[in-house]
Amino acid sequence: MSRAGRRVVRAFWAVDRFLGGERPPARTQKFAARHPVLLTLLAGTVWAVYFLLLPGVQPSDFVIAPVGGLLLGGILGLTALYERARQRRLRRLGLWDGS
């Protein structure tokens, strides 16, 4: 990794630490870190179904709903992967025992 890359990583973890990232994770955070794909699929599917159940559904909504579900699920999936990395870092630093 380049020098600038290491600097970015250190800055990222400094911001995370400032925002409370060294606290042990809650139960929901543990679930998200253990099951990022499930979280992605559930969030995207629920959003798409909810979108299609709204009154006044147009034909274009059948295209918008899955795309929106994919985007929302993708964002939550990336968030879950970040949480997994954070928990791995907490274990490595000895700040959390992984239970």
Side-chain angles (χ1 to χ4, degrees):
M1 183 181 291
S2 70
R3 190 178 211 177
R6 278 189 234 116
R7 188 176 292 159
V8 169
V9 169
R10 278 197 314 267
F12 174 80
W13 288 120
V15 170
D16 181 67
R17 198 171 33 255
F18 176 74
L19 295 174
E22 290 187 348
R23 290 188 307 235
R27 230 173 57 189
T28 54
Q29 290 171 309
K30 290 178 194 175
F31 176 83
R34 289 180 183 145
H35 309 287
V37 175
L38 178 64
L39 179 69
T40 299
L41 292 174
L42 283 175
T45 304
V46 167
W47 190 89
V49 168
Y50 177 74
F51 189 79
L52 291 173
L53 289 177
L54 292 173
V57 174
Q58 311 261 329
S60 63
D61 291 345
F62 290 100
V63 174
I64 295 171
V67 170
L70 181 69
L71 291 173
L72 177 68
I75 290 170
L76 287 176
L78 290 174
T79 303
L81 290 175
Y82 155 74
E83 181 60 31
R84 180 181 276 190
R86 184 182 82 87
Q87 290 179 19
R88 192 177 308 128
R89 181 174 178 272
L90 288 176
R91 272 189 237 117
R92 189 180 74 238
L93 295 175
L95 298 172
W96 178 55
D97 62 1
S99 61

